[in-house]
Amino acid sequence: MGWDFQSTDTPNLYYAGTITHGIDKRLSSGGFIHGFRYTARSLAWLLAARNHGIRWPSFTIPLHGVATSIMKRMNEMSGPYQMFYVLVDVYIRWDNDNVEVLYNVPHGMLHRIHELLGESYKEGEEERKHWDMIVVRLEYGAHYSKVGGDPFTRDRVELDPFLAHTCNFIHPVLYHFTAAPLPVEIRTKKLLGYNHRMHLSENLYTDFGTIRNHLTPLTHFISSVWSGQDLTHFNCEDCLLSYLTTNTVAEMCKRPPIIVAQKSDNEDLGRNGVINTSPKLLSKLSPTLKTLTDLL
């Protein structure tokens, strides 16, 4: 079986359910219902793209909303949480600075991202095509389940954002690619061909929403690999103070700071205070935003 859940011996024979644990044995949770329910859905999306030219489900956000969108997603990504290592989120930056977001992509299919977008695929074509994308997935540390290891060592938890790469518990890891990732074998954790990588701090409650440990390093990472400009999140008071004292306007202040995450009609604020696109919330904030926009 390959990463596309297709038999390597019999063409057009695809597998779903417990048997798909063959691609992630001793790696993830694909042998159990809480895992293969997500890979079964990914299989359906893959077949729709491969056989009918239907793009992998996606949505588009502006570049300045990527950091907060990723942070919100990291706190509610059920597929990559249950299928750690295997399922990833992909953020593709296009020439117009819009970013297309694809959820729950098998990491072994990233080298064929062209196919997932419903476009024709030829062997070897992906290596020649330029891609500018960030891949987000959840990983455990290398020594988390080490045989014979001591689970109660003093250094079992690392909360320093500068040492996030030493974390043991599950935590977000971001990869930046400027070309299609290289193919990997099944039951492989590694992503190959990336240009930059960044680990974000673990949290025993899987709350990846702190300013110091998550939003700030995440924003700096995206700014450095993509925009070359400061994408730090500012609130209305910060924008006004910056304009009045320095006569400069940050990029995030030029547009209303409404984060384009998936809509929620039940909540005014997303988890950890990330603003979403609820129409109810927009109606509440519109006078403030209009005043600030007029001032800037």
Side-chain angles (χ1 to χ4, degrees):
M1 187 191 316
W3 280 111
D4 59 353
F5 311 105
Q6 182 178 194
S7 169
T8 54
D9 298 323
T10 305
N12 298 318
L13 173 62
Y14 293 85
Y15 300 102
T18 304
I19 195 172
T20 57
H21 195 36
I23 66 174
D24 62 86
K25 184 180 180 181
R26 300 185 182 277
L27 177 67
S28 195
S29 308
F32 311 93
I33 181 61
H34 63 273
F36 68 68
R37 59 178 174 172
Y38 296 105
T39 56
R41 181 176 58 184
S42 295
L43 170 61
W45 291 345
L46 172 62
L47 292 177
R50 176 170 294 177
N51 297 328
H52 305 287
I54 301 175
R55 293 171 63 91
W56 195 276
S58 66
F59 59 94
T60 302
I61 61 177
L63 178 61
H64 72 278
V66 170
T68 42
S69 180
I70 290 179
M71 193 179 77
K72 182 176 187 296
R73 169 67 176 168
M74 289 189 308
N75 286 281
E76 55 189 33
M77 53 199 313
S78 56
Y81 179 79
Q82 300 291 359
M83 290 300 297
F84 45 91
Y85 293 117
V86 174
L87 296 183
V88 304
D89 290 349
V90 182
Y91 295 76
I92 305 174
R93 181 186 180 185
W94 299 114
D95 293 337
N96 59 0
D97 273 350
N98 283 331
V99 178
E100 186 172 6
V101 185
L102 293 77
Y103 288 162
N104 300 314
V105 177
H107 88 263
M109 290 296 296
L110 289 175
H111 69 290
R112 302 183 66 163
I113 190 71
H114 195 189
E115 180 182 12
L116 304 185
L117 296 177
E119 303 173 12
S120 60
Y121 172 81
K122 296 180 181 179
E123 202 67 38
E125 180 180 356
E126 295 303 301
E127 288 74 17
R128 298 190 299 270
K129 189 174 179 65
H130 174 77
W131 293 97
D132 193 2
M133 62 184 182
I134 290 175
V135 172
V136 183
R137 73 174 182 176
L138 296 178
E139 301 180 5
Y140 283 92
H143 303 293
Y144 176 73
S145 57
K146 184 178 180 180
V147 177
D150 182 1
F152 300 107
T153 57
R154 292 175 61 89
D155 60 349
R156 66 187 183 275
V157 178
E158 181 54 68
L159 301 179
D160 187 337
F162 293 98
L163 298 176
H165 60 285
T166 66
C167 289
N168 287 314
F169 194 51
I170 194 167
H171 61 282
V173 184
L174 284 77
Y175 298 82
H176 174 238
F177 295 86
T178 56
L182 300 177
V184 295
E185 298 292 332
I186 61 172
R187 304 175 191 170
T188 300
K189 296 180 181 180
K190 294 182 178 180
L191 291 178
L192 302 178
Y194 61 86
N195 298 78
H196 307 91
R197 179 179 63 179
M198 185 189 68
H199 291 253
L200 294 176
S201 296
E202 63 187 334
N203 184 280
L204 297 183
Y205 298 100
T206 59
D207 181 0
F208 308 120
T210 65
I211 299 297
R212 176 178 180 268
N213 289 359
H214 301 102
L215 181 57
T216 298
L218 173 63
T219 301
H220 285 306
F221 177 78
I222 295 173
S223 298
S224 63
V225 300
W226 266 359
S227 70
Q229 55 187 312
D230 187 5
L231 294 180
T232 302
H233 179 69
F234 294 93
N235 58 32
C236 296
E237 290 80 4
D238 292 332
C239 293
L240 182 58
L241 178 62
S242 174
Y243 179 75
L244 294 177
T245 57
T246 66
N247 200 32
T248 59
V249 182
E251 182 64 25
M252 284 290 288
C253 295
K254 295 179 182 178
R255 303 160 184 168
I258 300 301
I259 305 310
V260 278
Q262 289 185 315
K263 293 183 179 180
S264 171
D265 293 328
N266 299 321
E267 296 178 337
D268 289 343
L269 292 177
R271 184 176 178 179
N272 303 303
V274 178
I275 302 176
N276 61 34
T277 52
S278 166
K280 180 181 177 182
L281 177 62
L282 287 175
S283 63
K284 291 180 180 179
L285 292 181
S286 57
T288 303
L289 295 176
K290 183 178 185 304
T291 302
L292 178 60
T293 303
D294 291 342
L295 286 173
L296 300 179

